[in-house]
Amino acid sequence: MATTTPTGVRGESRPDTTSDGTPMTHRQIMEALSGLMLGMFVAILSSTIVSNALPQIITDLGGTQSSYTWVVTAALLSMTAATPLWGKLADLFSKKLLVQISLVIYVLGSVVAGLSQNTGMLIACRVVQGIGVGGLSALAQIVMAAMISPRERGRYSGYLGAVFAVATVGGPLLGGVITDTDWLGWRWCFYVGVPFAVIALVVLQRTLNLPVVKRDVKVDWTGAFLISAAVSLLLIWVTQAGDSYDWISWQTWAMTGGAVLLGLLFVFVESRASDPIIPLRLFRNPTITLASVASLFVGVAMFSGTVFFSQYFQLARNESPTMSGVLTIPMIGGLFVSSTVSGQVITKTGRWKRWLLAGGVLLTAGMGLLSGLRHDTPYWHIAVFMALTGLGLGMMMQNLVLATQNQVAPEDLGAASSVVTFFRSLGGAMGVSALGALMAHQVTGYVKDGLAALGPKAAALGHGGTGGGGIPDLDKLPVPFREVIESAYGHAVGDVFLYAAPTALAALLVVLFIKEVALKSKVSTTEPMAASESPA
């Protein structure tokens, strides 16, 4: 099957041909994308491989529930802040080189993370990891858009979604096996991705051949700093509020006011910058604005599911890290199926909105049903609810980016793609921070209530031996205390989904207002970027 691609994928002749003038086949496109997908696989695998190991990691390093949340949030925070910058750099520099640099950054962060001696060091390494994965997440969509027409892109977006799903389910399973293997231990969760990363770098060098943009380079570093500072301050406030200080306090007013001020400064700087990191004119397009808002809400749902399920299965049901990964397969299977099938059908029909709407309905239903989780909920109920959530996520994540890319000029492709990814990461970071703080508060309350029901002596223990908010080791607790802890975590994770479900409904409502524009069958070669990317 022949498909068309823009300038420079292979050769220097026409934008939709190989070096000998013939159209690129599906096989040739897959060869060009193989290194990119392998790089994505490595990044996602290295990120998810620690999910089921985190309870054990935090326990070994002497961390608390707040530390648990920040190990996740730190990577999301740096990924969120770095995504727009990577998108802008993709419009200025070699996309291939940027992919390789982001992969190297991520691997370096992973290796040092494996040497962590305390949670502070681990959180710092996660920041470095997030910078790398932010590049890979944004650049994967950008590179693919530079090679493939929007109509054909639905098919290949499905492939990226499938890679995401396989790495997401493979990571926790592999991490669980490594953690449960005595002669390895959780530190190898950070080392195991290094060989794959080296292979990805070699494959990228051999298969991905994109031209280098030739134009004056000017990066909006002021804008990048302001948006990073605003997001960071907001997330620090969400994580600490209700614990270190009251929600209504001078610290709250100072942090939220500071975040708003930094945000306004960012808008002011971007409106005057000659080459802004996020061109504000993009938001004049209703599709981009609505897709960005929808991605914000989808991010909350996506990360709340992947982050808190590991705690649910290990702390509410006392499963091993390996089994914790196995038990989440229904959600990842749903994501795999829906992203692949929707991509194939969208390529054939050119219509995408019906998939966004169906995804919104399924995601809302899945999250709503998961809000009833308890430690003794029958597993087949949980499996069905997870499958619905996965199906919804698979239909929405990639297709929101696809709808945005179909609406922008080639010279704004990188910035527009990274904007949608940025809002999805921002939603995930805010969601994990807020929901993690909520969960810590709920667990404390449920444990106190449960211990009070056991009698005065049990109530005097406060947290049932968990060290004032620390992650408990269930095997070291007496049976009555363990049952209280399991019940508390089961109920608290259900509360997390209860508060996250409205965000899925909000995403569905936003998608309703997106106007569908049929996907283009060709990439324009007369617009500025097509000319600028011609080989010198």
Side-chain angles (χ1 to χ4, degrees):
M1 175 182 176
T3 54
T4 60
T5 56
T7 306
V9 176
R10 293 292 178 96
E12 302 179 6
S13 52
R14 292 176 50 200
D16 57 351
T17 62
T18 61
S19 57
D20 59 1
T22 59
M24 287 187 69
T25 64
H26 170 66
R27 177 178 178 179
Q28 289 170 324
I29 293 176
M30 289 303 296
E31 287 177 354
L33 289 176
S34 58
L36 184 68
M37 290 193 289
L38 184 56
M40 278 288 293
F41 178 80
V42 170
I44 297 167
L45 180 72
S46 300
S47 178
T48 60
I49 199 171
V50 301
S51 59
N52 286 329
L54 267 181
Q56 184 65 47
I57 292 173
I58 299 302
T59 299
D60 289 351
L61 297 180
T64 64
Q65 178 66 44
S66 178
S67 302
Y68 185 103
T69 301
W70 264 106
V71 168
V72 178
T73 304
L76 290 175
L77 171 60
S78 57
M79 179 175 68
T80 301
T83 295
L85 183 59
W86 285 111
K88 175 53 64 177
L89 292 175
D91 289 336
L92 303 176
F93 297 102
S94 166
K95 298 176 181 63
K96 175 179 177 178
L97 178 61
L98 290 173
V99 171
Q100 293 172 317
I101 291 173
S102 61
L103 186 58
V104 169
I105 291 173
Y106 193 80
V107 169
L108 290 175
S110 298
V111 171
V112 180
L115 303 174
S116 298
Q117 301 301 309
N118 52 64
T119 55
M121 182 178 176
L122 179 59
I123 291 170
C125 293
R126 293 287 288 174
V127 171
V128 177
Q129 287 181 306
I131 294 173
V133 80
L136 288 165
S137 300
L139 293 167
Q141 295 286 347
I142 294 168
V143 170
M144 188 173 64
M147 296 174 59
I148 306 166
S149 69
R151 181 67 175 267
E152 288 291 328
R153 205 176 300 150
R155 176 185 190 181
Y156 297 97
S157 292
Y159 293 149
L160 278 183
V163 170
F164 180 91
V166 171
T168 302
V169 69
L173 283 173
L174 182 58
V177 172
I178 291 173
T179 304
D180 287 337
T181 303
D182 293 336
W183 54 275
L184 288 176
W186 60 262
R187 295 184 187 277
W188 277 94
C189 292
F190 297 100
Y191 302 144
V192 73
V194 175
F196 295 100
V198 174
I199 296 173
L201 286 170
V202 174
V203 175
L204 278 167
Q205 184 63 33
R206 293 177 60 87
T207 62
L208 186 60
N209 298 301
L210 288 174
V212 179
V213 177
K214 300 296 183 183
R215 53 183 282 198
D216 293 333
V217 175
K218 187 175 182 181
V219 180
D220 179 20
W221 296 110
T222 304
F225 168 77
L226 288 173
I227 194 169
S228 301
V231 171
S232 301
L233 192 58
L234 190 62
L235 292 182
I236 291 172
W237 165 68
V238 169
T239 305
Q240 300 297 327
D243 183 16
S244 300
Y245 45 81
D246 295 332
W247 285 97
I248 305 299
S249 62
W250 70 265
Q251 292 96 330
T252 290
W253 293 114
M255 290 189 178
T256 55
V260 170
L261 179 60
L262 289 169
L264 293 175
L265 286 174
F266 170 76
V267 172
F268 176 77
V269 169
E270 294 300 274
S271 66
R272 294 176 176 270
S274 59
D275 204 357
I277 190 170
I278 298 180
L280 299 181
R281 55 185 166 76
L282 291 177
F283 294 102
R284 297 173 187 169
N285 186 316
T287 297
I288 296 176
T289 302
L290 293 172
S292 298
V293 175
S295 292
L296 180 76
F297 294 129
V298 169
V300 177
M302 180 177 71
F303 287 104
S304 64
T306 56
V307 169
F308 296 107
F309 267 128
S310 61
Q311 283 192 301
Y312 173 76
F313 285 117
Q314 292 183 51
L315 299 177
R317 302 180 80 98
N318 200 24
E319 300 286 354
S320 68
T322 300
M323 280 305 300
S324 180
V326 172
L327 295 174
T328 56
I329 287 179
M331 185 176 72
I332 309 305
L335 194 155
F336 178 89
V337 171
S338 63
S339 62
T340 305
V341 172
S342 66
Q344 296 281 356
V345 176
I346 287 172
T347 294
K348 292 180 180 179
T349 64
R351 300 291 179 178
W352 44 265
K353 185 172 180 178
R354 66 190 67 176
W355 293 99
L356 289 178
L357 292 173
V361 171
L362 291 173
L363 183 60
T364 303
M367 299 288 284
L369 291 169
L370 285 170
S371 66
L373 276 184
R374 298 296 182 266
H375 75 288
D376 56 353
T377 301
Y379 175 71
W380 74 269
H381 290 182
I382 303 172
V384 172
F385 304 160
M386 287 192 296
L388 291 175
T389 302
L391 288 170
L393 287 173
M395 292 179 189
M396 297 193 77
M397 282 195 316
Q398 304 291 344
N399 294 328
L400 285 169
V401 178
L402 181 63
T404 299
Q405 292 174 341
N406 192 49
Q407 293 279 310
V408 298
E411 66 268 20
D412 289 328
L413 190 59
S417 301
S418 63
V419 162
V420 178
T421 307
F422 166 79
F423 277 99
R424 187 173 67 206
S425 301
L426 178 62
M430 294 179 63
V432 170
S433 297
L435 295 173
L438 168 71
M439 182 172 169
H441 179 268
Q442 296 294 87
V443 166
T444 300
Y446 291 139
V447 168
K448 286 182 178 180
D449 292 343
L451 293 178
L454 294 178
K457 291 184 179 180
L461 292 178
H463 289 272
T466 61
I471 303 297
D473 187 343
L474 297 181
D475 294 332
K476 296 180 179 179
L477 294 177
V479 174
F481 294 109
R482 187 175 66 195
E483 291 177 350
V484 169
I485 299 297
E486 290 175 349
S487 177
Y489 271 94
H491 201 161
V493 173
D495 290 347
V496 164
F497 286 105
L498 176 65
Y499 284 92
T503 64
L505 178 60
L508 172 61
L509 296 176
V510 171
V511 167
L512 286 172
F513 294 96
I514 298 179
K515 181 179 180 181
E516 183 173 35
V517 176
L519 298 179
K520 303 170 186 175
S521 297
K522 294 182 180 180
V523 177
S524 173
T525 61
T526 60
E527 296 180 85
M529 190 174 181
S532 67
E533 290 221 349
S534 297

